[in-house]
Amino acid sequence: MIWSTLKLWFHKLGSPPIFSVFARRVAPWLWAAFFACTLYGVYLALYVAPPDYQQSDSARILYIHVPAAWQAMLAYVIMAVLAAIALIWRIRTAEIMAMAAAPIGAALTLICLVTGSLWGKPMWGTWWEWDARLTSMLVLLFIYVGIMALYAAYDDPRKGARVASVLVIAGLVNLPIIHFSVEWWTTLHQGQTIRIFGESKMDPSMIPPLIWTTLGTKFLFGAALLDRARNLLLAQDQHKAWVRRELAPALDDRKQPA
Amino acid sequence: MIPELNYAPFVWSSYGVFAAVCAWQFLAPLIRRRRLTRQIREQLEEERAAAAVGRPAPRS
């Protein structure tokens, strides 16, 4: 039952007009959830959570640095799944969503790198260090930018998306490098302190703001992905009747049943 | 009330960067869609005007 419903949704959302309506309806709710979770999380992070016993208030940067890093990596995994679907089944909506995920992932990686640098200066005494974790995260940013550039380099967006999808799949190799960099090499960056399975080294009072800002970044990604993918679809299909009906219904004479 | 923090310039700069990037993620698709809607409306108006005088519709 659940599987057949999911399959039906999967096929239905493959249709650009249905996806566009779905994105238009769902994205505002995701934005609302993002604002609510993030504002509450930031309030907890700045007003309620205690300062770290060693790093004092500079540790408050973690409440945005860590969620951005997690979501930048999760965004890449989602983009790779979409790229694989696009390459195997040639579903245009999946292609477009994969390409729409790249600028959001790049933005999250940028947040992670800049906030990490702002945290590193007072704690490590340097803005940047060619440490394995930092460098692999910088490589992730370059991969995201490379995917965006490759997609934009083709006049035919479908061809561009297919070529960029191959790069997305190849770039997956960087994710385990990022994750295990703090174990494989001696790094300035601290090791893993938060574990989903197993005991975390973080004080429990620091967990709630982290959960809320983490949820916020998930909603940010979902909302921005739907908005950007819908825009790409509308731009590609701008001469088609369904786009004209949706964007300029008063001017379109060619009324057709939905 | 703004909390008084140690390392305040670093903390506030971080939250500022986060806010700016999130705002851009929110605004960029809105701006793009407005531009796209205006472009499509203009095209439709041109097509209408062309149809009214009986010449072929411009295709951009």
Side-chain angles (χ1 to χ4, degrees):
Chain A
M1 176 66 185
I2 295 170
W3 176 244
S4 60
T5 310
L6 278 175
K7 212 171 157 187
L8 183 71
W9 265 95
F10 183 74
H11 286 292
K12 274 193 168 179
L13 288 177
S15 155
I18 294 175
F19 176 82
S20 179
V21 171
F22 172 80
R24 192 183 66 209
R25 287 182 184 163
V26 174
W29 292 102
L30 294 179
W31 281 117
F34 156 70
F35 284 116
C37 290
T38 305
L39 288 176
Y40 185 57
V42 167
Y43 163 73
L44 291 179
L46 293 175
Y47 289 89
V48 179
D52 183 74
Y53 81 107
Q54 275 185 324
Q55 300 191 15
S56 182
D57 288 317
S58 77
R60 294 182 197 278
I61 295 173
L62 86 87
Y63 302 116
I64 47 172
H65 172 77
V66 174
W70 282 344
Q71 191 53 40
M73 291 169 71
L74 182 62
Y76 200 95
V77 173
I78 293 168
M79 185 171 70
V81 171
L82 289 164
I85 291 171
L87 286 173
I88 296 165
W89 289 293
R90 301 280 168 105
I91 297 175
R92 194 161 67 101
T93 316
E95 260 174 34
I96 281 173
M97 285 186 80
M99 294 305 108
I104 314 164
L108 289 161
T109 312
L110 190 69
I111 292 175
C112 170
L113 287 169
V114 173
T115 56
S117 183
L118 285 162
W119 195 2
K121 182 61 183 167
M123 290 303 108
W124 298 341
T126 179
W127 296 103
W128 182 261
E129 184 65 43
W130 291 102
D131 156 294
R133 171 60 68 85
L134 276 65
T135 309
S136 54
M137 211 59 199
L138 184 64
V139 169
L140 181 68
L141 178 66
F142 290 159
I143 293 172
Y144 272 129
V145 174
I147 290 159
M148 288 155 65
L150 197 56
Y151 177 57
Y154 282 83
D155 289 331
D156 176 3
R158 295 216 63 185
K159 197 174 178 187
R162 278 198 293 276
V163 175
S165 293
V166 176
L167 178 59
V168 172
I169 307 284
L172 263 178
V173 73
N174 191 43
L175 292 190
I177 297 176
I178 295 173
H179 184 75
F180 292 110
S181 57
V182 287
E183 292 176 22
W184 291 344
W185 294 284
T186 305
T187 60
L188 193 56
H189 194 282
Q190 69 186 59
Q192 205 176 346
T193 46
I194 307 154
R195 291 174 196 277
I196 297 171
F197 306 106
E199 202 181 336
S200 294
K201 290 179 196 162
M202 184 180 269
D203 189 84
S205 63
M206 297 169 96
I207 300 289
L210 188 62
I211 288 174
W212 285 106
T213 49
T214 300
L215 274 175
T217 54
K218 307 277 176 258
F219 288 125
L220 167 78
F221 177 76
L225 181 64
L226 289 180
D227 270 352
R228 282 176 182 271
R230 182 168 170 243
N231 280 354
L232 283 176
L233 266 179
L234 294 173
Q236 280 184 21
D237 288 358
Q238 59 180 288
H239 294 297
K240 292 189 178 168
W242 75 266
V243 174
R244 294 174 170 222
R245 270 201 311 276
E246 193 169 322
L247 291 189
L251 288 168
D252 189 22
D253 296 330
R254 291 169 298 176
K255 300 276 185 220
Q256 288 174 10
Chain B
M1 192 180 68
I2 298 168
E4 284 181 24
L5 306 172
N6 292 318
Y7 306 107
F10 299 99
V11 177
W12 289 118
S13 303
S14 298
Y15 280 79
V17 168
F18 178 71
V21 175
C22 291
W24 177 245
Q25 289 303 315
F26 179 70
L27 291 174
L30 281 182
I31 295 166
R32 171 94 175 102
R33 187 150 55 252
R34 269 192 198 160
R35 203 180 295 154
L36 199 61
T37 307
R38 198 172 53 232
Q39 195 183 320
I40 290 169
R41 283 204 172 141
E42 281 168 8
Q43 271 174 25
L44 279 170
E45 278 166 4
E46 276 178 26
E47 282 174 22
R48 256 192 174 184
V53 295
R55 64 183 160 82
R59 191 88 170 170
S60 54

